[in-house]
Structures are given as C-alpha cells and as structure tokens.
Amino acid sequence: MNWIRVATTIKNDPSVHAIAAECCRGDIAKAVGHVVAVLAECSTHARTGDLRAVQSLTLEEWAVWRGKSGALDKAIRSHLCTDGVLRSWDKYNGAPIRENEAHRARMKARREANRDQ
C-alpha cells in the first residue's frame, strides 16, 4: 500500500484556507480533500513534489476537481508551491519515500546474496 504523510493540522493551514476561499466557496473540508488527493497522486507521479511538468488538467484530475478549469491548479500552485515545487513535500514525503526505496534495495540485495550462497 502506498501512503503519504499529511499534517494533522491541515484544516488549519492558512494556505488551505486560501484555497477554500478562492475555489471551494469557503468549504475548508472540500479544500482539504482536493489537496490530499493531489498529494496522494504526487507519491506516484511527482515523487519529488515538483509539479512544473504536471499540466493543469492533470493536476485537477488528481484533485477530482469539478469546478472552473484552471482555478484549483492556480490556487494550489500559488498557495502550496515555491517555483513549482510543493513546499514541505521533501521533508514530509520525499525523505520517507527515499528511505523506503533504499530499504527495498537493501532487502533485494540481501535476498539476491542469500540466493547466490
């Protein structure tokens, strides 16, 4: 199972409140859902948190966005990114992803070494 880390205080994040105000008629829970849906896709499709190569339509599909085209994309990029990269992604999700990959590589090497003996 893939997983991501999400701050327990996400609903209080001023950036999420700004996204809610701009795109979700002030509905913070809806904004949280859209943001978490994007973060979940990043764990597979933008593992470094870099959204620069992700098209607007794709990001909004990840978010399950049904509002005005381009609105959520613009809000997420302006409130959650710096130079197209999700702030804090590396700290909370990038590092654990790399640790998990390194662990998998070590386990694979160990299995292969044991098989060769």
Side-chain angles (χ1 to χ4, degrees):
M1 172 188 295
N2 289 336
W3 55 270
I4 59 167
R5 291 180 176 175
V6 176
T8 58
T9 57
I10 190 170
K11 69 183 183 312
N12 302 319
D13 188 310
S15 297
V16 173
H17 283 229
I19 292 168
E22 289 177 25
C23 299
C24 303
R25 297 182 178 158
D27 187 337
I28 294 168
K30 190 172 182 180
V32 167
H34 291 307
V35 169
V36 170
V38 169
L39 296 176
E41 291 293 335
C42 287
S43 71
T44 301
H45 302 292
R47 295 174 68 79
T48 63
D50 187 344
L51 300 178
R52 289 176 289 193
V54 178
Q55 294 184 2
S56 176
L57 177 63
T58 301
L59 188 137
E60 290 182 342
E61 285 177 1
W62 290 354
V64 195
W65 175 247
R66 300 296 178 251
K68 182 181 175 186
S69 181
L72 185 67
D73 174 73
K74 180 181 176 186
I76 285 177
R77 292 177 196 273
S78 67
H79 295 293
L80 298 179
C81 295
T82 300
D83 298 325
V85 179
L86 289 164
R87 290 188 293 276
S88 301
W89 175 261
D90 192 60
K91 178 180 178 182
Y92 294 109
N93 289 297
I97 286 171
R98 286 190 305 277
E99 290 168 11
N100 189 35
E101 289 171 348
H103 175 73
R104 286 183 185 172
R106 284 191 304 274
M107 296 307 292
K108 181 180 178 183
R110 185 178 293 162
R111 284 190 305 272
E112 289 173 357
N114 288 339
R115 185 177 34 193
D116 292 340
Q117 292 180 1

